[in-house]
Amino acid sequence: MKISLHIPPQMWQKIRYSMLYLKPEDEEVISFIFCEKQFTDNIVRYIPKYWVVPDQDCYEYQSSIGLVMKQHFHHYLLEEYLQNQQLNVVHIHTHFGDQLPDFSYVDDRHESDYARFLGENFAHQPDLISGVFDENLEKYQFRLWNNQGTDFEPIEFCNSWLSIDENNISESPEISPMFARQKVFGKGFQTQLNQLKIALIGCGGIGAVFAETLARLGVKNWLLIDDDNLELVNLNRTPGASEEMVNQQWSKVDYVKYLLTKIYPDDGNFITAKTTIQAIENIEQIIDYDLIVVATDNHHSRQIAQELALKYQRPFMSLGTHIDIDSDGIPKMYARITIPPLGGGWCLMCGNMINLQQSALETAANSITQLANSAGYLDDVEAPAVFWLNNICASTTVGILHGVIAGFVNVDEGLDWVYHFPSQQWLKTIPEHLHNENCLFCTVTPLSENDFWEQHSDDFCSTAQESYYDTNYFDE
């Protein structure tokens, strides 16, 4: 069972900056992160929903060897996030020095008491995760306590876009000579690619090229989702497909699996699902994967994929192309690659990349679809597509993913690139312009700012209330 705490990069940057900013010289500092717990048969993942970095007014005592929170402040956190919202809690505190920190005897004693207190006093028995960092918040250890406070186990901590991190990759056998010319990209690069698991939704002209290109880079673990069979009209943009496959009614997922098996005949792991994403019965099939990639030709599947990525905090990429012909016969061709930021901030819906009306019509009854067609809401002509434009979209996406893993491309704030032909230009959207404060999909995950105390000072400074917990837990 893999247990992990995965904090989105932008959130972690804010938490770390706030802790360093509010940390007096040579004194310890703490932060609180409140998480949902998501689990499948193979993975337990703690997903942050709120975070609080207290300022100096929230401390009863703060020094280089320990700290104690004001009881009213602590009481408020417990009531608001554990009792009312039934979340789990992560405590992160620093130790003096820049060496790899270790939990002290006092940490052990108070965390044990605190974990038992949580288990005995809250109906949902919230989990306690504790993390200790050096004073620069760079080196760390994390652990998860049981509800009796009698034992703990180490857990993985990840603050990168992908949960596969060079510091956490498992030992792997010797790299295949197939990848000898990729050694230039650094130690661990190939191992991360070999361990990466991709859920690909849409195995047509873009998805097939993306899968084969990324597989040749070293990715060999795939979930392939598509409900269509190959047709003659697909053959102009599906590499390696043949008329014989069409006549034999090959499914697109089996076709892409065939391409991947040609690269990895013995050690690939390819799971196929001949269905749509909305018809997937076991959602674990998707959320257990490291990255969700959607390359479909309809709005509804992209909406569902984006909603899954937001709900389960999974990295997500959207690929697509579009061709328009002007009245003068000059084509305008576009390839678009979109990577919304992990954890929210903007998404395909608030960035106007998904038409929700179109999405609804795509799943409506035939009678409604026909009515919409007659009213001009839907285009009844199949969208044009060409192989080379799909290649630009798919191969550039592979290049971006390559850069993320190798460390020379940053997608923490998201990315939205549009290739335009015949101008031969890549147009890059400024991510901040895609944010919509009123989005119902990606702005529902609030963040507690570092002026939290000022916002709620009246709650803490009112008449004294009995504290949930009176032990000086944060003494060192």
Side-chain angles (χ1 to χ4, degrees), residues 6 85 122 143 236 275 278 296 451 454 472:
H6 193 177
Q85 301 195 45
F122 293 88
R143 60 187 182 183
N236 76 316
T275 183
Q278 51 267 38
T296 60
D451 60 349
E454 283 79 4
N472 290 339

Side-chain angles (χ1 to χ4, degrees), residues 82-377:
L82 273 65
Q83 180 171 291
N84 294 345
Q85 301 195 45
Q86 299 191 347
L87 298 173
N88 302 283
V89 61
V90 180
H91 290 159
I92 294 175
H93 71 282
T94 58
H95 279 186
F96 180 74
D98 59 2
Q99 69 276 11
L100 178 67
D102 201 358
F103 292 97
S104 68
Y105 166 77
V106 177
D107 289 333
D108 294 343
R109 179 165 55 90
H110 286 304
E111 288 179 13
S112 172
D113 290 344
Y114 196 78
R116 185 172 63 256
F117 159 76
L118 295 178
E120 292 175 351
N121 289 274
F122 293 88
H124 71 292
Q125 294 190 312
D127 292 333
L128 170 66
I129 295 174
S130 61
V132 59
F133 278 77
D134 70 313
E135 63 182 10
N136 298 314
L137 286 151
E138 293 176 349
K139 302 170 185 174
Y140 57 83
Q141 291 193 58
F142 276 83
R143 60 187 182 183
L144 168 67
W145 285 87
N146 66 19
N147 294 125
Q148 295 76 40
T150 58
D151 197 9
F152 58 82
E153 59 183 311
I155 68 169
E156 293 185 8
F157 168 64
C158 181
N159 56 13
S160 59
W161 183 66
L162 284 173
S163 57
I164 291 184
D165 181 67
E166 186 172 347
N167 294 323
N168 293 324
I169 57 176
S170 61
E171 294 296 325
S172 62
E174 185 178 351
I175 300 300
S176 166
M178 173 180 174
F179 307 112
R181 296 195 178 188
Q182 295 175 188
K183 292 180 180 179
V184 67
F185 299 113
K187 182 181 179 180
F189 170 74
Q190 205 61 54
T191 302
Q192 291 180 74
L193 282 170
N194 291 160
Q195 293 185 359
L196 188 65
K197 300 193 302 180
I198 306 287
L200 175 61
I201 303 155
C203 295
I206 298 176
V209 176
F210 170 81
E212 184 177 31
T213 306
L214 189 57
R216 293 194 182 279
L217 198 63
V219 176
K220 56 180 71 175
N221 300 291
W222 294 83
L223 169 63
L224 307 170
I225 301 173
D226 199 309
D227 66 333
D228 284 342
N229 289 339
L230 283 174
E231 300 177 10
L232 284 175
V233 71
N234 302 136
L235 297 185
N236 76 316
R237 58 193 184 279
T238 45
S242 67
E243 190 171 341
E244 182 180 8
M245 292 179 180
V246 173
N247 293 335
Q248 294 175 355
Q249 296 185 319
W250 277 42
S251 67
K252 288 183 177 178
V253 291
D254 285 337
Y255 150 68
V256 173
K257 181 178 179 179
Y258 166 80
L259 295 179
L260 302 179
T261 305
K262 298 284 283 185
I263 304 170
Y264 301 108
D266 301 317
D267 59 344
N269 181 21
F270 315 123
I271 299 174
T272 60
K274 190 179 185 300
T275 183
T276 60
I277 182 174
Q278 51 267 38
I280 290 283
E281 294 183 0
N282 184 1
I283 204 65
E284 293 178 16
Q285 284 188 279
I286 298 176
I287 63 174
D288 272 358
Y289 281 72
D290 300 308
L291 174 63
I292 299 172
V293 179
V294 60
T296 60
D297 59 359
N298 66 83
H299 291 255
H300 188 65
S301 59
R302 291 175 187 271
Q303 179 186 340
I304 297 298
Q306 174 70 96
E307 289 177 359
L308 283 176
L310 287 168
K311 179 178 180 180
Y312 295 99
Q313 199 169 281
R314 308 311 297 141
F316 173 70
M317 306 177 86
S318 172
L319 292 63
T321 60
H322 182 72
I323 299 176
D324 272 333
I325 307 296
D326 285 347
S327 57
D328 57 7
I330 299 176
K332 291 182 179 179
M333 306 185 184
Y334 304 90
R336 190 168 197 171
I337 303 160
T338 307
I339 305 174
L342 185 65
W346 59 266
C347 66
L348 295 186
M349 283 74 87
C350 67
N352 293 320
M353 296 162 222
I354 288 179
N355 184 316
L356 295 177
Q357 181 187 62
Q358 181 85 19
S359 174
L361 287 170
E362 287 168 354
T363 59
N366 289 336
S367 58
I368 297 177
T369 303
Q370 291 170 4
L371 181 62
N373 261 315
S374 64
Y377 287 108

